Amino acid sequence: MELRKLQRVVIDALEDIKAQDIAIFDTTHLTGVFDRVIIASASSNRQTRALANNVREKTKEAGGEVLSTEGEDTGEWVLVDLGDVVVHLMQPAIREYYNLEEIWGDKPVRVKLNPHSLSKPMPGVDYFPQQAEAYSSQYN
């Protein structure tokens, strides 16, 4: 599957289950193993597992391949390996402690995100401004 399509499938799957603080990074200059790292936060073990499950399902439905999933036993940090894209689903304390953005985050990828996917705006990241008012009244 083409990289941009896979990236969009993953982002949509994360937004379906209300992932927070979604960040996408280009890693082609750092490793030849994968091209994107996507990091998202979840508020509970149950949500990290639900996010991982939805990413797997949506990827398969779109014709992509899921290579492996790790961490579902505890649910604090679940990794979904999609080949060209590696997805890290973490609870906020775990995400802050391991700070993967410091390792992979020097090249953020600009993508469209729904406002509820960002608890704090990230410089250079677009979202759907026409939906911002509807989402803020619905989720705040």
Side-chain angles (χ1 to χ4, degrees), residues 39-68:
I39 305 169
S41 294
S43 59
S44 67
N45 296 3
R46 176 179 242 161
Q47 188 183 17
T48 58
R49 290 183 190 112
L51 287 165
N53 187 52
N54 203 40
V55 166
R56 285 192 307 262
E57 286 179 10
K58 298 297 183 183
T59 299
K60 288 177 184 177
E61 285 174 12
E65 183 180 0
V66 178
L67 300 180
S68 68

Side-chain angles (χ1 to χ4, degrees), residues 9 51 53 59 76 108 119 121 128 132 134:
V9 166
L51 287 165
N53 187 52
T59 299
E76 292 178 345
S119 66
F128 301 109

Side-chain angles (χ1 to χ4, degrees), residues 7-20:
Q7 179 178 285
R8 186 77 251 165
V9 166
V10 170
I11 292 166
D12 291 345
L14 294 173
E15 289 183 328
D16 284 349
I17 309 294
K18 306 296 187 256
Q20 302 161 351

Side-chain angles (χ1 to χ4, degrees), residues 115 128-138:
F128 301 109
Q130 69 276 14
Q131 296 176 356
E133 186 175 318
Y135 274 101
S136 62
S137 63
Q138 185 177 2

Side-chain angles (χ1 to χ4, degrees), residues 3 25-36 84 107:
L3 180 60
F25 302 104
D26 181 344
T27 59
T28 54
H29 64 293
L30 298 173
T31 180
V33 180
F34 46 86
D35 297 327
R36 295 285 187 275
D84 289 337
K107 286 184 116 178

Side-chain angles (χ1 to χ4, degrees), residues 9 42 82 85:
V9 166
L82 305 173
V85 175

Side-chain angles (χ1 to χ4, degrees), residues 73-92:
D73 50 333
T74 65
E76 292 178 345
W77 178 358
V78 180
L79 181 141
V80 182
D81 184 351
L82 305 173
D84 289 337
V85 175
V86 176
V87 183
H88 295 271
L89 307 166
M90 310 168 89
Q91 291 185 22

